[in-house]
Each structure stands twice: as structure tokens, then as C-alpha cells.
Amino acid sequence: MSDHGKSAAAKNRKPFWKKWWFWVIIVLTVVAIGGMNGNRTNPTQQATVSVGATAKPKITPKEPTPEAKKNTPTKKSPLQEFKRSFDAQSATPISNISSFVVQDRNSGHYRTEYRLGAYSDATGEHGTIGDISIDMVRYRDSMFRIYATGPRDSVLAVYPALAKSMDPSLTDTDIQALVDKYRQGYVANDLSFADSAKRIESNDFTLQDGNIEAFIDADFSK
């Protein structure tokens, strides 16, 4: 071919970027690069996924419903429990109730034992049962004692209800045996040794200006 022919052929030849196969290669290259980038994981994202996979979900405790709160039993204080039990058993309930400061020497209800540290946070209430005066003292959270003072027959008449309210596990037989023992002139301070006793810590009968005083001490946590 002459030089003129070669020149004309070169002149008529299309540039390579106008060839169809060139653009096919470009498209395939772009697709391949895009696929490689899509398979890569961002380090920040990877760390987030890792942390999210191992972290435990936070559990928020549910607030009790009003109905559940209503049905939840409330713990009664020894004083409340005693008064409620006694009033249910006795024909004459405790009345004229007033509070007093246990360690106040001028309260009119002070006793020598109240000077002890065990009574530093004690609470006291005074009331009457007919012609009987009664002091009720809660101390050391669950410890509770009563002093019922009045005519002999009146105190002995309500004593079974007093004892049963202090210790519901006591049998009527054990309580009556103690009352009979005192009526016969014997020292009757052994209620805590009765077979049915559970809460009773100590008890006693003493003379008080022509009257008698029945004392009972119990542990209401039992």
C-alpha cells in the first residue's frame, strides 16, 4: 500500500475511546470496584456492631400496678397488732389512747428500766381498759411490752386476752394455768416456759398501791 493509502486508512480509523469494547471495559471496571467497596466494613461500624452484639440489654424494672400495691400486705407494728388482736377478743376495748415519750421522767409513765439504751428509740402509748390503766411500749423495733394496772379481779379477767394478744401461739390451757397459779398465791412469772409459748420473753404480777400490775414482754419478730 502506498503512503497515500496508509494515510487515508489512519485518518478513517476511530479513536479507541469511541470503540464499543472500550466502554464495556470501563463499565465492568466500575462495577468491580463498586462491588469491592461494598464488601469492605467501616472500622467504626464494625466496632459498633461488635459492642452491640456483646452488650446486655438494659432491663428497667416495672413499676407495680396500683392493684398490685393494694394487694401487697403491709407490715403492722407490734403496737397495732396487739391493739387489734386485743380489741377483737375483749368485751372492753382499749380506749383513751395517748402517746408519751418513754424516757421523759415527767411523763407520768416513766419506769426505771426506760433509762437503758434499749429504750432510746422506744415509742409508748397509754390507754385504759375499763378501770385498768395500760402502758404499751415498743422498743428495739420488734420488742413490745405492756403494763396493765388495776383492781385484781379486773386485771385477771382480761389477762387471757392480754396474753393471747401478745403471743397468739399460747393455748388457753397454759394461760389459765398461770392465772389459777396466781389466784392461789403462788409466784406466776413463768409464762415464757409454757410449752405453747413462742414470743414471750418474760412476765410477772406485782402489787401496785392496792392494785396489781400484770407485765408481759414479747418479741413480735417471732
Side-chain angles (χ1 to χ4, degrees):
M1 182 180 292
S2 63
D3 292 339
H4 178 74
K6 292 180 179 179
S7 175
K11 186 176 180 180
N12 293 328
R13 186 181 302 160
K14 291 181 179 180
F16 69 90
W17 61 82
K18 292 186 178 182
K19 301 288 186 177
W20 64 269
W21 51 263
F22 173 78
W23 290 108
V24 170
I25 292 174
I26 293 297
V27 171
L28 292 176
T29 301
V30 170
V31 171
I33 293 174
M36 293 175 62
N37 289 337
N39 292 332
R40 292 178 182 175
T41 303
N42 187 299
T44 303
Q45 293 177 340
Q46 185 175 14
T48 303
V49 171
S50 176
V51 171
T54 57
K56 294 182 179 179
K58 183 179 179 180
I59 301 176
T60 303
K62 293 183 178 180
E63 182 71 18
T65 62
E67 187 65 24
K69 291 180 179 179
K70 182 179 178 181
N71 294 331
T72 301
T74 56
K75 183 180 178 181
K76 298 184 182 68
S77 71
L79 192 60
Q80 291 173 326
E81 183 179 339
F82 168 77
K83 288 191 296 186
R84 182 174 181 177
S85 177
F86 180 83
D87 289 349
Q89 298 180 63
S90 175
T92 306
I94 301 173
S95 59
N96 303 317
I97 298 173
S98 61
S99 300
F100 65 90
V101 178
V102 174
Q103 293 189 317
D104 181 4
R105 294 174 180 269
N106 299 315
S107 67
H109 306 285
Y110 183 79
R111 296 171 186 271
T112 306
E113 55 265 36
Y114 295 163
R115 73 186 189 283
L116 301 175
Y119 298 92
S120 60
D121 64 344
T123 57
E125 288 192 7
H126 173 77
T128 58
I129 308 170
D131 56 357
I132 299 171
S133 172
I134 182 169
D135 286 348
M136 302 163 284
V137 177
R138 191 257 344 138
Y139 65 104
R140 284 183 176 172
D141 190 34
S142 63
M143 297 300 296
F144 186 67
R145 56 176 48 198
I146 60 170
Y147 304 85
T149 309
R152 182 175 184 271
D153 290 341
S154 297
V155 172
L156 293 180
V158 300
Y159 191 83
L162 292 172
K164 196 79 170 180
S165 300
M166 292 292 281
D167 189 347
S169 66
L170 286 169
T171 64
D172 295 338
T173 301
D174 284 340
I175 296 173
Q176 193 58 49
L178 186 83
V179 172
D180 292 342
K181 183 178 179 179
Y182 181 75
R183 286 185 184 278
Q184 295 168 11
Y186 294 99
V187 175
N189 58 0
D190 51 358
L191 190 61
S192 60
F193 296 104
D195 292 336
S196 61
K198 182 178 179 181
R199 290 179 174 176
I200 303 300
E201 295 291 317
S202 59
N203 73 285
D204 204 358
F205 288 99
T206 58
L207 294 175
Q208 296 285 339
D209 299 326
N211 293 321
I212 67 168
E213 180 174 84
F215 158 74
I216 305 176
D217 187 60
D219 184 352
F220 272 56
S221 67
K222 296 180 179 180

